[in-house]
Amino acid sequence: MMKVVYLTEPGKMAIEEEDIPKLRKGCVLVKIEYNGICGSDVHFYKDGRVGDCVLQEPFVLGHEVAGTVTEAADDVTGLKPGDRVALEPGYGCGRCEFCKTGRYNLCPDVQFFAAPPVRGALQEYVVHPADMCYKLPDHVSTMEGALVEPLAVGLHATSLGEVTLGQSVVILGAGCIGLVTMLAARARGAADIVVVDLHEKRLEYARTMGATHTIRADGTDVAARVEEILGGGPDVVFETAGSPVTIAQTAYIAKRGGTVVLVGMASQSEVNYNFFQLMEKEAIVKCVFRYRNLYPRAIAAIASGSINVRQIVTHEFELEEAGRAFETVVRDAQDVVKGMIKM
């Protein structure tokens, strides 16, 4: 038997006991050790929805996970019991044009943890395709392994934004995704990195981790302040907060000929946006939907020390405290950058 955490309704969670899932062909059974609390998990917890995806029944959240292989199917050759792995939470059909061109995150039939109707991984054991489980080097912990998932988002965002040496970037939101985007931008050589958030404590983390400038958004004309700091707009502006307010701000912050990268997802599916601001600037808008082909690169970056993800973790909880963990992330948003549940 294993423990499973269910979101029974917005704001309420319950722990149940269920049978450990049966091993399938091409898969491994993984004992989950760490589960990161993502912004999408928080949207489901608070609002019961993310965009057009609305929960209709009790559901298991969680997709930022790592653990240890306890059993491998007979046809699995690359992994064995005892191997510590980071689980890439989504996999495509393997047959559509998107899978065949390496863009499997866009597969219309993608199976992704905690994306209804696919249940998440906030449970003690998970069966997962072996080719989506990536072995961790001996000196990389399973906590860091669980943080590979958000780091992959930051790597994908900065790749789409084509951040290069010496450029300027603005990052709206200093939560986990904002900070991993900042770390990825630094790794790609960005010279000026401006991070914007409502909460001073989060901005302190951003400065500690390498932001060259920070702006507290509360009561501030962010676009004017960015122009004052940079002497104009940034080469790339990233929206990572998933707020209608910051999404709308990107049109005003973007420079002429610049790029906007939308990373965060709002709980509602429609927001007001001033497209005239973008059109007269001939700015480019790009959208991030998860990531693709980045787990090996993210693990290598962590293993080499070029990107330190451990510094993002501010709170750790036990499995039995899952309800309190989510409540804390929501209630104390100004103090929590990344909450982790130790399974």
Side-chain angles (χ1 to χ4, degrees):
M1 301 292 286
M2 67 172 182
K3 293 177 181 176
V4 182
V5 181
Y6 278 93
L7 175 65
T8 56
E9 60 181 89
K12 292 188 178 180
M13 308 193 87
I15 298 177
E16 306 286 347
E17 284 207 350
E18 297 180 2
D19 290 333
I20 293 174
K22 301 296 184 184
L23 194 59
R24 303 190 305 272
K25 182 179 179 181
C27 294
V28 291
L29 178 66
V30 180
K31 188 178 191 302
I32 301 299
E33 295 177 13
Y34 279 95
N35 214 308
I37 299 174
C38 176
S40 62
D41 293 327
V42 174
H43 279 318
F44 279 130
Y45 177 79
K46 284 175 57 183
D47 309 311
R49 66 182 297 159
V50 175
D52 290 336
C53 186
V54 182
L55 294 183
Q56 304 293 339
E57 57 188 22
F59 190 65
V60 180
L61 299 173
H63 61 266
E64 300 176 0
V65 288
T68 300
V69 174
T70 60
E71 190 178 354
D74 292 340
D75 59 340
V76 172
T77 57
L79 293 172
K80 64 183 186 305
D83 286 342
R84 297 173 315 108
V85 292
L87 282 65
E88 182 167 349
Y91 54 95
C93 69
R95 299 180 300 275
C96 69
E97 65 168 298
F98 303 105
C99 288
K100 287 183 178 294
T101 55
R103 298 173 293 164
Y104 57 88
N105 60 317
L106 303 180
C107 172
D109 295 319
V110 68
Q111 302 288 299
F112 195 94
F113 285 148
V118 180
R119 71 188 280 165
L122 194 48
Q123 55 190 50
E124 291 183 297
Y125 289 88
V126 163
V127 169
H128 202 58
D131 63 351
M132 302 306 280
C133 296
Y134 295 87
K135 191 173 178 180
L136 297 172
D138 290 342
H139 63 286
V140 175
S141 68
T142 48
M143 175 189 279
E144 291 169 306
L147 293 168
V148 170
E149 201 277 344
L151 177 57
V153 175
L155 293 173
H156 187 45
T158 52
S159 176
L160 285 181
E162 300 180 11
V163 176
T164 58
L165 188 68
Q167 284 192 321
S168 60
V169 303
V170 168
I171 299 168
L172 301 177
C176 174
I177 296 299
L179 294 180
V180 293
T181 301
M182 183 192 76
L183 292 174
R186 281 192 64 201
R188 293 177 70 97
D192 290 307
I193 302 175
V194 182
V195 178
V196 185
D197 200 275
L198 286 168
H199 306 300
E200 183 58 35
K201 195 156 191 177
R202 289 190 171 194
L203 295 175
E204 287 176 16
Y205 281 111
R207 288 191 290 270
T208 300
M209 293 165 61
T212 55
H213 307 276
T214 58
I215 300 172
R216 185 166 180 179
D218 191 14
T220 302
D221 184 334
V222 174
R225 183 73 182 109
V226 166
E227 186 164 356
E228 179 183 340
I229 291 170
L230 298 179
D235 294 299
V236 189
V237 54
F238 296 93
E239 197 292 318
T240 71
S243 162
V245 174
T246 48
I247 291 171
Q249 283 178 339
T250 60
Y252 296 90
I253 295 172
K255 71 183 290 186
R256 293 182 178 274
T259 300
V260 171
V261 182
L262 301 177
V263 187
M265 284 192 173
S267 58
Q268 59 269 61
S269 54
E270 295 185 11
V271 299
N272 290 324
Y273 199 80
N274 189 331
F275 280 97
F276 178 80
Q277 286 287 327
L278 290 181
M279 294 178 72
E280 72 165 357
K281 296 174 181 177
E282 203 173 86
I284 298 168
V285 178
K286 295 186 177 182
C287 302
V288 167
F289 187 61
R290 300 170 182 156
Y291 39 78
R292 50 183 176 258
N293 308 306
L294 283 169
Y295 259 55
R297 192 181 304 177
I299 292 171
I302 293 170
S304 70
S306 60
I307 293 182
N308 177 7
V309 290
R310 290 185 69 94
Q311 59 189 321
I312 294 169
V313 178
T314 55
H315 292 68
E316 187 175 327
F317 304 88
E318 300 293 327
L319 170 61
E320 291 75 14
E321 301 176 294
R324 187 170 74 86
F326 275 84
E327 180 185 344
T328 300
V329 169
V330 172
R331 185 191 63 231
D332 301 333
Q334 68 277 10
D335 296 321
V336 180
V337 173
K338 189 63 179 178
M340 303 291 291
I341 296 176
K342 185 178 181 181
M343 308 294 285

